[in-house]
């Protein structure tokens, strides 16, 4: 597939699949992983992203991250694009990217460097060297507000850079950089802050968005995408209204709830999510009840669950 | 050594040694590492911390981090306490800690978890499990302002927790938690934000501080420690005045300059630091000149360097 064609195919939802862990051992539940990924694809997901933050990438060992990527490629088996998350030190990111490429992933998403000290030219060099070390193309996860968008403008001309997951909720900045990066660079701009921000970012040039909600309620995420594509304002804002309580609950405790709310919701609707690993513990009763309330409002809880 | 005794020995400077990289290959310069660690010890360092942030821990592969720790233990050879930095996923942190223990490190410093989602109980569980997995004691690197100090109060009673590197520059919070954690828990409070903040934190109960400056000018760091211990106000503030321009230059670019300024200064005074790895690039000419100016003001540049 040409880089330009792949870039175009990112104008959709990037489904950041969770990594299910068994309740007691917190080991990876690979059977659950298979069920989850199939659920996503059967419900319309065109891009699957293993080893994203919603996949608790940073709670996995390097070896586990590789295995998760490999398994997801096998499960997807050509039915969607696999964008494998890679990160850590530059050398480790290249190692993970090379592994993903050999395993058959279509592209990689390079996480924000975890080193607490970053300079603009150092950042550019970090991404450039990873991008150039691989044959498959890359997507940058851009989330450090201390960096200027100049780094994206410098990286955009690279052939193998096909997308930017923009995760700084500064729409002025975002709209400006989208206008300043030439169209010919074939960058697909992806809203990195999900359904809550997607309507605003879409309007400013992000033709895709990432989603964790999609693990629970893919129909709703795709309803939003379709409404955005059709400029159906009424549906956009009614869906937005519907998903807002869920996304706000995920944002609680400075985003500490981000993944555990998704997992709790999946468990409540009968999907196989299990628990989160440290440094995140299970939801308290109050937040569990809030999840139930939201799921009930969506009509996703049946009588069997005893909640409607 | 008893945990209480070790804790007491942390009432000093934790020298976060840099990891020297060769200019061209960016490989670790182990000969340089040896020279640097010897320089620190010969100039009074009692605690050496390999794999800290100033050691560019997050630019090292897991294997490199192990090797650096092992080499530092060998170089130190009982002449100082070795506090090895560990981090990443909980499993990886335990792996690194176990390695450090077997290599002969005296204790570990557990970095802030890198997972972007953290809950208080999840955070406690993360640290507790790492601390309890090892025989040697631990120091917590505490830097997430979104967490309350309750997590420290919950962890403090653990026998094997001997110190907290407190790196949130909120003196009200810090003074309060120091007063609230019982003395019998044998926690040594360490100011994690170096010479610039040490006078304020010392006053509020931090009997030690971490330092990157110590790699360049250990005499000055220890002059400050001594003045703090002797309550010599005049010297405290005159040293503080002297080191401030250096620490402020390190803070430039949202701390992007943190390590590269130390390495540049070391190179200028003839120590073996080499370059930083990505995502940090070399200093620009202007900042290089600023480093020279500061070193000259300290009397550390001789005529040979052509700068005085």
């Amino acid at each position: 597939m040409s880089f330009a064609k792949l870039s175009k195919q990112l104008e959709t939802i990037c489904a950041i699949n969770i990594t299910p862990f068994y309740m007691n051992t917190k080991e990876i539940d690979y059977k659950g992983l298979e069920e989850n990924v199939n659920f996503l694809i059967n419900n319309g997901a065109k891009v699957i992203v293993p080893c994203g933050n919603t996949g608790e990438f940073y709670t996995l060992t390097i070896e586990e991250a590789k295995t998760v990527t490999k398994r997801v490629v096998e499960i997807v088996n050509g039915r969607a694009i696999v964008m494998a998350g890679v990160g850590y030190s530059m050398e480790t990111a290249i190692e993970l990217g090379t592994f993903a490429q050999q395993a058959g992933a279509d592209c990689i998403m390079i996480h924000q460097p975890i080193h607490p000290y970053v300079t603009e030219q150092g950042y550019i060099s970090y991404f450039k060297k990873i991008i150039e070390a691989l044959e498959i193309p890359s997507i940058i996860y851009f989330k450090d507000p201390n960096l200027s968008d100049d780094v994206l403008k410098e990286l955009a001309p690279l052939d193998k850079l096909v997308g930017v997951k923009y995760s700084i909720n500064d729409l002025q900045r975002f709209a400006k950089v989208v206008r300043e990066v030439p169209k010919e660079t074939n960058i697909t701009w992806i809203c990195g802050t999900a359904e809550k921000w997607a309507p605003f970012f879409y309007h400013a040039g992000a033709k895709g968005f990432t989603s964790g909600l999609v693990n629970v309620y893919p129909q709703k995420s795709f309803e939003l995408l379709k409404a955005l594509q059709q400029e159906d304002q009424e549906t956009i804002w009614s869906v937005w209204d519907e998903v807002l309580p869920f996304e706000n609950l995920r944002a609680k405790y400075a985003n500490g709830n981000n993944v555990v709310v998704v997992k709790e919701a999946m468990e409540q609707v009968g999907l196989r999510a299990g628990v989160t690993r440290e440094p995140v513990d299970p939801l308290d009763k109050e937040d569990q009840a809030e999840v139930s309330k939201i799921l009930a409002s969506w009509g996703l809880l049946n009588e069997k669950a005893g909640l409607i």
Side-chain angles (χ1 to χ4, degrees), chain A:
Chain A
M1 194 188 307
S2 79
F3 298 145
K5 192 173 166 202
L6 180 63
S7 175
K8 192 77 188 160
Q9 292 193 281
L10 302 178
E11 296 183 353
T12 182
I13 295 170
C14 291
I16 319 289
N17 67 282
I18 62 127
T19 308
F21 300 123
Y22 286 111
M23 204 72 75
N24 295 323
T25 61
K26 297 195 179 176
E27 291 295 314
I28 299 170
D29 169 10
Y30 286 105
K31 179 74 187 136
L33 183 67
E34 183 173 352
E35 288 184 18
N36 296 334
V37 171
N38 283 328
F39 174 78
L40 286 167
I41 293 175
N42 293 338
N43 284 286
K46 305 280 186 251
V47 178
I48 308 286
V49 187
C51 296
N53 280 335
T54 303
E56 295 173 77
F57 175 58
Y58 290 115
T59 76
L60 305 174
T61 65
I62 306 287
E63 285 312 308
E64 285 177 329
K66 288 180 181 174
T67 309
V68 165
T69 289
K70 187 163 185 292
R71 280 297 296 130
V72 169
V73 170
E74 288 165 357
I75 297 160
V76 169
N77 193 22
R79 294 176 294 162
I81 285 166
V82 176
M83 181 193 297
V86 307
Y88 298 105
S89 74
M90 192 174 74
E91 192 172 330
T92 308
I94 291 172
E95 179 191 332
L96 285 168
T98 304
F99 180 90
Q101 176 172 293
Q102 282 164 357
D106 301 283
C107 51
I108 59 164
M109 174 185 74
I110 310 169
H111 281 271
Q112 167 72 26
I114 51 174
H115 192 47
Y117 312 126
V118 179
T119 60
E120 296 213 348
Q121 287 304 318
Y123 180 95
I124 290 167
S125 178
Y126 177 92
F127 280 96
K128 196 169 181 177
K129 286 185 180 170
I130 298 169
I131 292 167
E132 290 186 339
L134 303 179
E135 287 162 27
I136 57 174
S138 293
I139 288 83
I140 288 180
Y141 189 167
F142 187 65
K143 68 182 298 193
D144 182 350
N146 292 314
L147 291 170
S148 87
D149 295 317
D150 290 345
V151 302
L152 300 178
K153 286 188 254 175
E154 276 209 44
L155 289 166
L158 293 175
D159 274 349
K160 283 184 282 186
L161 179 64
V162 295
V164 173
K165 173 179 173 172
Y166 200 94
S167 301
I168 303 164
N169 290 327
D170 182 333
L171 292 156
Q172 310 282 343
R173 267 184 70 162
F174 178 68
K176 198 155 188 297
V177 70
V178 169
R179 292 173 64 81
E180 287 175 356
V181 168
K183 292 277 171 286
E184 313 83 72
T185 57
N186 288 316
I187 299 290
T188 290
W189 299 93
I190 301 163
C191 165
T193 49
E195 287 81 358
K196 185 173 171 178
W197 285 89
F200 308 100
F201 275 90
Y202 194 90
H203 193 59
K207 298 297 175 208
F209 60 90
T210 59
S211 175
L213 169 68
V214 76
N215 288 284
V216 183
Y217 198 5
Q219 300 84 353
K220 199 47 70 180
S221 300
F222 280 100
E223 193 182 340
L224 178 60
L225 178 69
K226 194 177 160 196
L228 288 167
Q229 289 170 338
Q230 298 182 343
E231 298 181 17
D232 171 358
Q233 294 298 322
E234 196 168 332
T235 307
I236 290 169
W237 298 108
S238 73
V239 173
W240 185 77
D241 261 344
E242 276 185 275
V243 303
L244 213 51
F246 189 78
E247 293 298 303
N248 286 342
L249 189 59
R250 293 179 67 197
K252 199 172 167 182
Y253 308 122
N255 283 315
N257 266 2
N258 186 292
V259 181
V260 68
V261 162
V262 171
K263 286 192 158 179
E264 171 68 25
M266 289 175 72
E267 284 287 329
Q268 287 194 23
V269 300
L271 295 166
R272 200 155 157 171
V275 293
T276 48
R277 282 186 178 173
E278 286 84 357
V280 176
D281 66 318
L283 285 187
D284 60 26
K285 295 278 172 225
E286 189 192 325
D287 286 349
Q288 280 177 8
E290 183 64 23
V291 169
S292 304
K293 202 176 123 190
I294 295 166
L295 293 174
S297 79
W298 293 345
L300 290 185
L301 288 185
N302 56 30
E303 285 184 47
K304 201 172 123 207
L307 283 148
I308 293 185

